[in-house]
Amino acid sequence: MIEVIGLPHRLGLLVKDNSGTDSLLLKSILYQECIERGIIFGPGSILHTFSHNSDDTKKTVDVFTDAAEILKKSIDSGNPAKFLRGKQMKPVLKFPV
């Protein structure tokens, strides 16, 4: 499950496994898929600024939708780790949202 938290101008993402626990593995897969499509999130807040135009916003939503579909496939497979190319994210700093 992906939960968007925070204020409209300063959003954050929680990516939770089926038990409702925040999962760095699942977040790693989501970020991996977004980055491969040209959108970089995090690690803290998602900031939408005046420099982003409507085309930027549409691309972000489209990329996020595609990445979320792949994340769902990884969860449904029963072995999401096989969808991760590279290393799983590790907590370094915690940013308040």
Side-chain angles (χ1 to χ4, degrees):
M1 175 178 76
I2 300 170
E3 183 179 348
V4 180
I5 59 173
L7 300 171
H9 65 281
R10 190 171 187 252
L11 300 173
L13 293 177
L14 297 177
V15 183
K16 298 180 180 182
D17 61 21
N18 288 334
S19 70
T21 304
D22 199 27
S23 170
L24 286 177
L25 171 61
L26 298 179
K27 188 178 249 186
S28 297
I29 295 167
L30 181 69
Y31 280 30
Q32 163 190 279
E33 297 302 323
C34 288
I35 290 167
E36 285 185 354
R37 291 162 177 76
I39 300 296
I40 297 176
F41 287 116
S45 298
I46 300 168
L47 301 173
H48 192 275
T49 71
F50 287 111
S51 68
H52 295 104
N53 60 36
S54 59
D55 289 339
D56 297 328
T57 302
K58 182 180 180 338
K59 179 180 179 179
T60 301
V61 170
D62 291 346
V63 164
F64 192 83
T65 300
D66 291 345
E69 288 174 6
I70 291 170
L71 180 62
K72 182 179 182 329
K73 286 180 189 175
S74 78
I75 294 166
D76 291 346
S77 78
N79 185 11
K82 74 179 182 181
F83 284 76
L84 183 62
R85 296 176 299 281
K87 296 180 181 179
Q88 179 177 312
M89 297 168 65
K90 293 182 182 179
V92 178
L93 298 171
K94 287 220 174 211
F95 296 94
V97 178

